[in-house]
Amino acid sequence: MMIGQPGWAAYAMPRSLQRALNGLFVASLVLTLAVVMGSGAPVSGRDASIVAALSVLLAATYTVGFVGPARRAGSRRREVPVPSVGTARVNPGRALRWLGTMTVVWACLMAFSAGFSWLGFPLFALYVQLLPLRLAIPAVALGTAVVVTAKEAQAGGLEVSQVAGPVLGALIATLTVLGYQSLHRESQARQALIHELVVTRDALADSQREAGRLAERQRLAREIHDTVAQGLSSVIMLLRSTDAVLPPDASLARERAAQAIEVATANLDECRRFLYELSPPPLDETPLPEALRRLVDRSASDGLGTAFHLHGEPYPLGAESDVALLRLTQEALANVRGHAHAATCVVSLCYLDGRVTLDVFDDGKGFDPELPPQDSRSGFGLHGMRQRIEGLGGALTVESAIGEGTAVAASLPMPLGGTS
Protein backbone atom coordinates (compact mmCIF):
# COMPACT_ATOMS: atom_id res chain seq x y z
CA MET A 1 0.00 0.00 0.00
CA MET A 2 1.15 3.49 -0.74
CA ILE A 3 1.65 5.68 2.32
CA GLY A 4 1.30 9.43 2.37
CA GLN A 5 -2.42 10.07 2.07
CA PRO A 6 -4.34 11.58 5.00
CA GLY A 7 -5.46 9.02 7.58
CA TRP A 8 -8.90 8.70 9.12
CA ALA A 9 -8.14 11.02 12.05
CA ALA A 10 -7.03 13.75 9.64
CA TYR A 11 -10.51 13.75 8.08
CA ALA A 12 -12.09 14.24 11.51
CA MET A 13 -10.66 17.66 12.32
CA PRO A 14 -9.75 20.93 10.59
CA ARG A 15 -6.24 21.28 9.20
CA SER A 16 -5.35 24.14 11.51
CA LEU A 17 -6.06 21.97 14.55
CA GLN A 18 -4.18 19.07 12.95
CA ARG A 19 -1.08 21.22 12.51
CA ALA A 20 -1.29 22.54 16.06
CA LEU A 21 -1.64 19.06 17.57
CA ASN A 22 1.09 17.59 15.37
CA GLY A 23 3.48 20.38 16.29
CA LEU A 24 2.66 20.07 20.00
CA PHE A 25 3.11 16.29 19.95
CA VAL A 26 6.43 16.36 18.09
CA ALA A 27 7.81 19.19 20.24
CA SER A 28 6.72 17.50 23.48
CA LEU A 29 8.19 14.13 22.49
CA VAL A 30 11.52 15.56 21.29
CA LEU A 31 12.01 17.85 24.29
CA THR A 32 11.02 15.13 26.74
CA LEU A 33 13.44 12.64 25.20
CA ALA A 34 16.18 15.25 25.31
CA VAL A 35 15.54 15.85 29.00
CA VAL A 36 14.94 12.25 30.04
CA MET A 37 17.73 10.62 28.03
CA GLY A 38 20.27 13.42 27.95
CA SER A 39 23.56 13.61 29.87
CA GLY A 40 22.97 13.08 33.56
CA ALA A 41 19.34 12.06 32.87
CA PRO A 42 17.55 9.66 35.20
CA VAL A 43 16.98 7.09 32.40
CA SER A 44 20.04 5.28 31.06
CA GLY A 45 21.36 1.91 30.06
CA ARG A 46 18.79 -0.79 29.30
CA ASP A 47 15.92 1.48 30.42
CA ALA A 48 17.01 4.03 27.84
CA SER A 49 16.69 1.44 25.07
CA ILE A 50 13.20 0.51 26.25
CA VAL A 51 12.21 4.16 26.46
CA ALA A 52 13.52 4.79 22.94
CA ALA A 53 11.59 1.80 21.58
CA LEU A 54 8.39 2.90 23.33
CA SER A 55 8.84 6.44 22.00
CA VAL A 56 9.20 5.13 18.44
CA LEU A 57 6.08 2.97 18.95
CA LEU A 58 4.14 5.96 20.28
CA ALA A 59 5.21 8.14 17.34
CA ALA A 60 4.30 5.38 14.84
CA THR A 61 0.89 4.85 16.44
CA TYR A 62 0.22 8.58 16.40
CA THR A 63 1.26 8.80 12.74
CA VAL A 64 -1.15 6.02 11.71
CA GLY A 65 -4.14 8.23 12.52
CA PHE A 66 -2.93 11.16 10.42
CA VAL A 67 -1.09 9.42 7.57
CA GLY A 68 -2.85 6.37 6.16
CA PRO A 69 -2.89 4.23 2.99
CA ALA A 70 -4.01 5.72 -0.28
CA ARG A 71 -7.71 5.43 -1.02
CA ARG A 72 -9.04 4.03 -4.26
CA ALA A 73 -11.45 6.34 -6.08
CA GLY A 74 -12.39 7.92 -2.77
CA SER A 75 -14.33 4.82 -1.63
CA ARG A 76 -12.42 4.25 1.58
CA ARG A 77 -12.51 7.89 2.41
CA ARG A 78 -16.29 7.68 2.58
CA GLU A 79 -16.04 4.99 5.27
CA VAL A 80 -15.24 7.71 7.81
CA PRO A 81 -17.41 10.74 7.02
CA VAL A 82 -16.05 14.17 7.68
CA PRO A 83 -17.91 15.44 10.74
CA SER A 84 -18.90 18.97 11.57
CA VAL A 85 -16.62 19.96 14.40
CA GLY A 86 -18.30 19.61 17.76
CA THR A 87 -21.43 17.90 16.41
CA ALA A 88 -20.82 14.59 14.61
CA ARG A 89 -17.85 12.44 15.64
CA VAL A 90 -15.84 9.65 14.12
CA ASN A 91 -16.69 6.10 15.08
CA PRO A 92 -16.08 5.94 18.87
CA GLY A 93 -14.86 2.34 18.71
CA ARG A 94 -12.16 3.17 16.16
CA ALA A 95 -11.13 6.31 18.04
CA LEU A 96 -11.03 4.40 21.35
CA ARG A 97 -8.75 1.73 19.88
CA TRP A 98 -6.35 4.29 18.44
CA LEU A 99 -6.33 6.57 21.46
CA GLY A 100 -6.28 3.60 23.84
CA THR A 101 -3.14 2.21 22.19
CA MET A 102 -1.36 5.56 22.47
CA THR A 103 -2.51 5.95 26.08
CA VAL A 104 -1.13 2.52 27.05
CA VAL A 105 2.23 3.25 25.41
CA TRP A 106 2.31 6.70 27.02
CA ALA A 107 1.50 5.19 30.44
CA CYS A 108 4.41 2.78 30.00
CA LEU A 109 6.70 5.73 29.28
CA MET A 110 5.34 7.49 32.36
CA ALA A 111 6.43 4.46 34.40
CA PHE A 112 10.02 5.26 33.48
CA SER A 113 9.84 9.03 33.88
CA ALA A 114 7.20 11.56 34.83
CA GLY A 115 8.80 13.89 32.30
CA PHE A 116 6.63 12.30 29.64
CA SER A 117 3.63 14.03 31.26
CA TRP A 118 4.07 16.79 28.65
CA LEU A 119 2.70 14.36 26.06
CA GLY A 120 -0.57 14.38 27.97
CA PHE A 121 -1.59 17.77 26.54
CA PRO A 122 -1.88 16.65 22.86
CA LEU A 123 -3.49 13.39 24.02
CA PHE A 124 -6.09 15.26 26.08
CA ALA A 125 -6.86 17.47 23.06
CA LEU A 126 -7.34 14.37 20.90
CA TYR A 127 -9.69 12.87 23.49
CA VAL A 128 -11.93 15.95 23.38
CA GLN A 129 -11.75 16.29 19.59
CA LEU A 130 -12.36 12.70 18.52
CA LEU A 131 -14.59 11.31 21.27
CA PRO A 132 -18.05 12.26 22.51
CA LEU A 133 -17.90 14.29 25.72
CA ARG A 134 -19.35 11.37 27.69
CA LEU A 135 -16.18 9.43 26.78
CA ALA A 136 -13.72 12.33 26.43
CA ILE A 137 -14.16 13.65 30.00
CA PRO A 138 -13.46 10.25 31.67
CA ALA A 139 -10.49 9.74 29.32
CA VAL A 140 -9.03 13.14 30.29
CA ALA A 141 -9.63 12.34 33.99
CA LEU A 142 -7.87 8.98 33.58
CA GLY A 143 -4.93 10.60 31.83
CA THR A 144 -4.67 13.21 34.58
CA ALA A 145 -4.65 10.44 37.18
CA VAL A 146 -1.79 8.73 35.32
CA VAL A 147 0.25 11.97 35.43
CA VAL A 148 -0.44 12.55 39.12
CA THR A 149 0.46 8.94 39.97
CA ALA A 150 3.72 9.12 38.02
CA LYS A 151 4.73 12.38 39.72
CA GLU A 152 3.91 10.92 43.15
CA ALA A 153 6.02 7.83 42.44
CA GLN A 154 8.95 9.91 41.19
CA ALA A 155 8.85 12.39 44.09
CA GLY A 156 8.11 9.80 46.76
CA GLY A 157 5.14 11.82 47.98
CA LEU A 158 2.23 13.93 46.85
CA GLU A 159 2.07 17.71 47.09
CA VAL A 160 -0.60 20.19 46.10
CA SER A 161 1.43 21.44 43.11
CA GLN A 162 1.78 17.90 41.80
CA VAL A 163 -2.02 17.63 41.63
CA ALA A 164 -2.94 21.21 40.72
CA GLY A 165 -0.50 21.36 37.76
CA PRO A 166 -1.80 18.30 35.87
CA VAL A 167 -5.43 19.16 36.67
CA LEU A 168 -4.99 22.74 35.46
CA GLY A 169 -3.20 21.57 32.32
CA ALA A 170 -5.97 19.06 31.53
CA LEU A 171 -8.61 21.74 32.11
CA ILE A 172 -6.80 24.19 29.80
CA ALA A 173 -6.39 21.57 27.07
CA THR A 174 -10.07 20.61 27.29
CA LEU A 175 -11.40 24.17 27.30
CA THR A 176 -9.07 25.18 24.47
CA VAL A 177 -10.36 22.47 22.16
CA LEU A 178 -13.98 23.09 23.13
CA GLY A 179 -13.54 26.81 22.47
CA TYR A 180 -11.92 26.08 19.12
CA GLN A 181 -14.81 23.80 18.19
CA SER A 182 -17.31 26.53 19.04
CA LEU A 183 -15.47 29.08 16.91
CA HIS A 184 -15.11 26.62 14.07
CA ARG A 185 -18.80 25.78 14.13
CA GLU A 186 -19.64 29.47 13.97
CA SER A 187 -17.22 29.93 11.08
CA GLN A 188 -18.74 26.98 9.21
CA ALA A 189 -22.25 28.32 9.76
CA ARG A 190 -21.17 31.73 8.45
CA GLN A 191 -19.51 30.18 5.39
CA ALA A 192 -22.63 28.10 4.72
CA LEU A 193 -24.77 31.23 4.94
CA ILE A 194 -22.47 33.11 2.57
CA HIS A 195 -22.54 30.19 0.12
CA GLU A 196 -26.33 30.06 0.29
CA LEU A 197 -26.55 33.80 -0.35
CA VAL A 198 -24.20 33.52 -3.34
CA VAL A 199 -26.19 30.60 -4.78
CA THR A 200 -29.45 32.49 -4.23
CA ARG A 201 -28.03 35.61 -5.87
CA ASP A 202 -26.81 33.62 -8.88
CA ALA A 203 -30.15 31.82 -9.16
CA LEU A 204 -31.99 35.16 -9.04
CA ALA A 205 -29.70 36.62 -11.70
CA ASP A 206 -30.24 33.54 -13.91
CA SER A 207 -34.00 33.83 -13.39
CA GLN A 208 -33.95 37.49 -14.37
CA ARG A 209 -31.84 36.77 -17.45
CA GLU A 210 -34.18 33.93 -18.39
CA ALA A 211 -37.21 36.18 -17.97
CA GLY A 212 -35.52 38.81 -20.14
CA ARG A 213 -34.75 36.28 -22.86
CA LEU A 214 -38.29 34.96 -22.89
CA ALA A 215 -39.75 38.47 -22.97
CA GLU A 216 -37.50 39.42 -25.89
CA ARG A 217 -38.39 36.23 -27.76
CA GLN A 218 -42.10 36.97 -27.29
CA ARG A 219 -41.60 40.54 -28.52
CA LEU A 220 -39.77 39.32 -31.63
CA ALA A 221 -42.49 36.75 -32.27
CA ARG A 222 -45.19 39.42 -32.08
CA GLU A 223 -43.28 41.79 -34.35
CA ILE A 224 -42.62 39.11 -36.97
CA HIS A 225 -46.21 37.90 -36.83
CA ASP A 226 -47.62 41.40 -37.22
CA THR A 227 -45.29 42.42 -40.04
CA VAL A 228 -43.52 39.75 -42.09
CA ALA A 229 -46.03 36.92 -41.63
CA GLN A 230 -49.06 39.15 -42.24
CA GLY A 231 -47.33 40.71 -45.24
CA LEU A 232 -46.57 37.32 -46.81
CA SER A 233 -50.15 36.18 -46.22
CA SER A 234 -51.42 39.32 -47.99
CA VAL A 235 -49.03 38.76 -50.90
CA ILE A 236 -50.29 35.19 -51.33
CA MET A 237 -53.92 36.30 -51.24
CA LEU A 238 -53.26 39.06 -53.83
CA LEU A 239 -51.40 36.68 -56.14
CA ARG A 240 -54.18 34.13 -55.95
CA SER A 241 -56.78 36.81 -56.73
CA THR A 242 -54.94 37.80 -59.89
CA ASP A 243 -55.80 34.49 -61.51
CA ALA A 244 -59.46 35.58 -61.79
CA VAL A 245 -58.66 38.83 -63.61
CA LEU A 246 -55.98 37.57 -66.01
CA PRO A 247 -57.06 37.05 -69.63
CA PRO A 248 -57.37 33.46 -70.88
CA ASP A 249 -54.22 33.70 -73.01
CA ALA A 250 -52.00 34.97 -70.17
CA SER A 251 -50.44 31.58 -69.48
CA LEU A 252 -47.00 33.03 -68.80
CA ALA A 253 -48.45 35.45 -66.23
CA ARG A 254 -50.32 32.60 -64.53
CA GLU A 255 -47.11 30.51 -64.45
CA ARG A 256 -45.12 33.37 -62.87
CA ALA A 257 -47.92 34.06 -60.39
CA ALA A 258 -47.98 30.38 -59.40
CA GLN A 259 -44.20 30.47 -58.91
CA ALA A 260 -44.52 33.61 -56.79
CA ILE A 261 -47.27 31.97 -54.69
CA GLU A 262 -45.05 28.90 -54.18
CA VAL A 263 -42.08 31.00 -53.07
CA ALA A 264 -44.23 33.17 -50.79
CA THR A 265 -45.91 30.10 -49.29
CA ALA A 266 -42.53 28.46 -48.59
CA ASN A 267 -41.27 31.63 -46.93
CA LEU A 268 -44.47 31.92 -44.91
CA ASP A 269 -44.00 28.33 -43.71
CA GLU A 270 -40.45 29.13 -42.64
CA CYS A 271 -41.65 32.28 -40.93
CA ARG A 272 -44.28 30.29 -39.04
CA ARG A 273 -41.66 27.74 -38.06
CA PHE A 274 -39.51 30.57 -36.73
CA LEU A 275 -42.47 31.95 -34.78
CA TYR A 276 -43.14 28.47 -33.47
CA GLU A 277 -39.57 28.26 -32.15
CA LEU A 278 -39.69 31.74 -30.62
CA SER A 279 -43.04 31.45 -28.87
CA PRO A 280 -42.80 29.64 -25.50
CA PRO A 281 -45.17 26.72 -24.97
CA PRO A 282 -47.84 26.91 -22.25
CA LEU A 283 -45.70 25.58 -19.36
CA ASP A 284 -46.29 28.33 -16.82
CA GLU A 285 -49.02 26.41 -15.03
CA THR A 286 -48.37 22.90 -16.40
CA PRO A 287 -45.40 20.77 -15.24
CA LEU A 288 -43.22 19.35 -17.98
CA PRO A 289 -44.32 15.70 -17.45
CA GLU A 290 -47.99 16.64 -17.74
CA ALA A 291 -47.35 18.81 -20.81
CA LEU A 292 -45.51 15.92 -22.49
CA ARG A 293 -48.27 13.50 -21.54
CA ARG A 294 -50.92 15.74 -23.15
CA LEU A 295 -48.78 16.22 -26.25
CA VAL A 296 -48.29 12.47 -26.63
CA ASP A 297 -52.00 11.79 -26.14
CA ARG A 298 -52.93 14.40 -28.77
CA SER A 299 -50.46 12.84 -31.23
CA ALA A 300 -52.27 9.51 -31.28
CA SER A 301 -54.20 8.79 -34.49
CA ASP A 302 -55.90 5.90 -36.25
CA GLY A 303 -52.63 4.46 -37.49
CA LEU A 304 -50.38 5.49 -34.60
CA GLY A 305 -50.62 4.40 -30.97
CA THR A 306 -48.70 6.51 -28.44
CA ALA A 307 -47.64 6.03 -24.83
CA PHE A 308 -45.89 8.19 -22.25
CA HIS A 309 -43.80 6.87 -19.34
CA LEU A 310 -42.42 8.87 -16.41
CA HIS A 311 -39.58 7.52 -14.26
CA GLY A 312 -38.18 9.10 -11.12
CA GLU A 313 -39.30 12.05 -9.03
CA PRO A 314 -39.69 15.22 -11.13
CA TYR A 315 -37.82 18.38 -10.11
CA PRO A 316 -37.61 21.84 -11.74
CA LEU A 317 -35.28 22.15 -14.72
CA GLY A 318 -35.82 25.78 -15.64
CA ALA A 319 -37.95 27.29 -18.38
CA GLU A 320 -35.35 26.96 -21.13
CA SER A 321 -34.75 23.26 -20.46
CA ASP A 322 -38.50 22.57 -20.26
CA VAL A 323 -39.05 24.35 -23.57
CA ALA A 324 -36.17 22.46 -25.22
CA LEU A 325 -37.50 19.04 -24.18
CA LEU A 326 -41.06 19.90 -25.18
CA ARG A 327 -39.93 21.23 -28.58
CA LEU A 328 -37.80 18.14 -29.12
CA THR A 329 -40.78 15.90 -28.41
CA GLN A 330 -42.97 17.94 -30.78
CA GLU A 331 -40.34 17.70 -33.54
CA ALA A 332 -39.82 13.97 -33.03
CA LEU A 333 -43.56 13.21 -33.00
CA ALA A 334 -44.05 15.33 -36.14
CA ASN A 335 -41.35 13.30 -37.89
CA VAL A 336 -42.97 10.04 -36.73
CA ARG A 337 -46.38 11.08 -38.10
CA GLY A 338 -44.98 12.45 -41.34
CA HIS A 339 -42.29 9.94 -42.29
CA ALA A 340 -41.98 6.88 -40.05
CA HIS A 341 -45.19 5.00 -40.93
CA ALA A 342 -45.03 3.61 -37.40
CA ALA A 343 -47.65 1.68 -35.47
CA THR A 344 -46.38 2.65 -32.01
CA CYS A 345 -44.45 5.56 -30.54
CA VAL A 346 -43.27 5.63 -26.90
CA VAL A 347 -42.00 8.73 -25.09
CA SER A 348 -40.08 8.23 -21.81
CA LEU A 349 -39.01 10.99 -19.41
CA CYS A 350 -36.53 9.90 -16.72
CA TYR A 351 -35.33 11.97 -13.74
CA LEU A 352 -32.00 10.40 -12.75
CA ASP A 353 -29.31 11.40 -10.24
CA GLY A 354 -27.79 14.48 -11.80
CA ARG A 355 -29.40 14.18 -15.25
CA VAL A 356 -32.76 14.15 -17.01
CA THR A 357 -33.25 12.00 -20.10
CA LEU A 358 -35.95 12.03 -22.79
CA ASP A 359 -36.36 9.13 -25.21
CA VAL A 360 -38.72 8.98 -28.20
CA PHE A 361 -38.90 5.57 -29.88
CA ASP A 362 -41.00 4.44 -32.81
CA ASP A 363 -41.27 1.09 -34.62
CA GLY A 364 -41.48 2.67 -38.06
CA LYS A 365 -39.53 2.07 -41.22
CA GLY A 366 -36.41 3.80 -39.91
CA PHE A 367 -33.67 5.36 -42.03
CA ASP A 368 -29.93 5.44 -42.48
CA PRO A 369 -28.51 8.23 -40.25
CA GLU A 370 -25.44 8.46 -42.49
CA LEU A 371 -27.52 9.62 -45.47
CA PRO A 372 -28.83 13.21 -45.77
CA PRO A 373 -32.55 13.52 -44.90
CA GLN A 374 -34.99 13.53 -47.80
CA ASP A 375 -37.03 16.27 -46.14
CA SER A 376 -34.62 19.17 -45.66
CA ARG A 377 -36.93 20.96 -43.24
CA SER A 378 -37.20 17.97 -40.86
CA GLY A 379 -33.43 17.62 -40.99
CA PHE A 380 -33.08 21.27 -40.12
CA GLY A 381 -35.50 20.76 -37.18
CA LEU A 382 -33.41 17.96 -35.64
CA HIS A 383 -30.23 19.92 -36.28
CA GLY A 384 -31.69 22.94 -34.51
CA MET A 385 -32.83 20.80 -31.59
CA ARG A 386 -29.37 19.27 -31.30
CA GLN A 387 -27.87 22.75 -31.08
CA ARG A 388 -30.43 23.80 -28.47
CA ILE A 389 -29.82 20.70 -26.30
CA GLU A 390 -26.03 21.01 -26.55
CA GLY A 391 -26.31 24.73 -25.75
CA LEU A 392 -27.85 23.70 -22.40
CA GLY A 393 -24.94 21.37 -21.65
CA GLY A 394 -26.75 18.24 -22.80
CA ALA A 395 -26.48 15.72 -25.61
CA LEU A 396 -28.81 14.51 -28.36
CA THR A 397 -28.39 11.23 -30.22
CA VAL A 398 -30.46 9.70 -33.02
CA GLU A 399 -30.23 5.96 -33.63
CA SER A 400 -32.00 4.27 -36.50
CA ALA A 401 -31.72 1.57 -39.09
CA ILE A 402 -33.85 0.76 -42.10
CA GLY A 403 -36.76 -1.41 -41.01
CA GLU A 404 -35.88 -1.20 -37.30
CA GLY A 405 -37.47 2.04 -36.18
CA THR A 406 -35.89 5.19 -34.74
CA ALA A 407 -34.82 6.27 -31.26
CA VAL A 408 -34.19 9.91 -30.35
CA ALA A 409 -32.48 10.34 -26.96
CA ALA A 410 -31.75 13.63 -25.20
CA SER A 411 -29.95 14.16 -21.92
CA LEU A 412 -29.75 17.37 -19.87
CA PRO A 413 -27.78 17.96 -16.66
CA MET A 414 -29.58 18.75 -13.43
CA PRO A 415 -29.58 22.54 -12.91
CA LEU A 416 -27.43 24.14 -10.19
CA GLY A 417 -29.24 23.92 -6.88
CA GLY A 418 -31.62 21.20 -8.06
CA THR A 419 -32.40 18.23 -5.87
CA SER A 420 -32.70 14.68 -6.93
Side-chain angles (χ1 to χ4, degrees), residues 78-166:
R78 291 193 294 269
E79 293 177 3
V80 182
V82 181
S84 297
V85 178
T87 54
R89 302 284 180 171
V90 296
N91 184 277
R94 190 172 193 176
L96 277 173
R97 289 192 296 271
W98 183 61
L99 294 172
T101 302
M102 286 197 296
T103 302
V104 170
V105 178
W106 171 63
C108 293
L109 289 171
M110 292 289 292
F112 287 93
S113 173
F116 286 98
S117 61
W118 292 103
L119 290 171
F121 292 105
L123 283 177
F124 295 164
L126 287 172
Y127 294 156
V128 179
Q129 174 64 30
L130 299 179
L131 296 175
L133 280 180
R134 60 183 176 83
L135 298 178
I137 298 302
V140 171
L142 178 62
T144 305
V146 170
V147 174
V148 172
T149 302
K151 287 184 176 293
E152 179 186 7
Q154 180 174 305
L158 193 61
E159 298 180 359
V160 175
S161 60
Q162 294 173 339
V163 177

Side-chain angles (χ1 to χ4, degrees), residues 180-242:
Y180 179 87
Q181 289 177 351
S182 178
L183 292 175
H184 191 76
R185 281 196 302 270
E186 184 178 349
S187 175
Q188 285 184 323
R190 186 162 50 248
Q191 290 177 356
L193 178 60
I194 293 173
H195 176 71
E196 183 178 353
L197 290 175
V198 171
V199 171
T200 303
R201 181 199 64 187
D202 293 342
L204 180 60
D206 291 341
S207 176
Q208 291 175 340
R209 284 195 294 268
E210 177 69 13
R213 283 197 299 267
L214 292 177
E216 181 63 15
R217 289 163 67 95
Q218 289 179 321
R219 188 190 68 82
L220 286 174
R222 289 193 300 268
E223 292 293 334
I224 294 174
H225 178 270
D226 294 341
T227 56
V228 180
Q230 294 291 352
L232 287 173
S233 297
S234 300
V235 168
I236 294 173
M237 291 178 60
L238 290 173
L239 288 173
R240 286 174 177 170
S241 66
T242 59

Side-chain angles (χ1 to χ4, degrees), residues 5 23 38 40 63 94 114 141-142 170 175 216 285 316 333 335 342 345 393 395-396 401:
Q5 298 295 322
T63 303
R94 190 172 193 176
L142 178 62
L175 293 179
E216 181 63 15
E285 299 179 357
L333 290 174
N335 288 338
C345 180
L396 176 66

Side-chain angles (χ1 to χ4, degrees), residues 326-348:
L326 184 60
R327 292 303 194 205
L328 173 61
T329 307
Q330 290 173 327
E331 183 71 28
L333 290 174
N335 288 338
V336 171
R337 291 193 304 269
H339 310 288
H341 302 289
T344 304
C345 180
V346 178
V347 178
S348 299

Side-chain angles (χ1 to χ4, degrees), residues 310-315 351 419-420:
L310 174 65
H311 305 281
E313 186 67 25
Y315 51 81
Y351 289 86
T419 57
S420 60

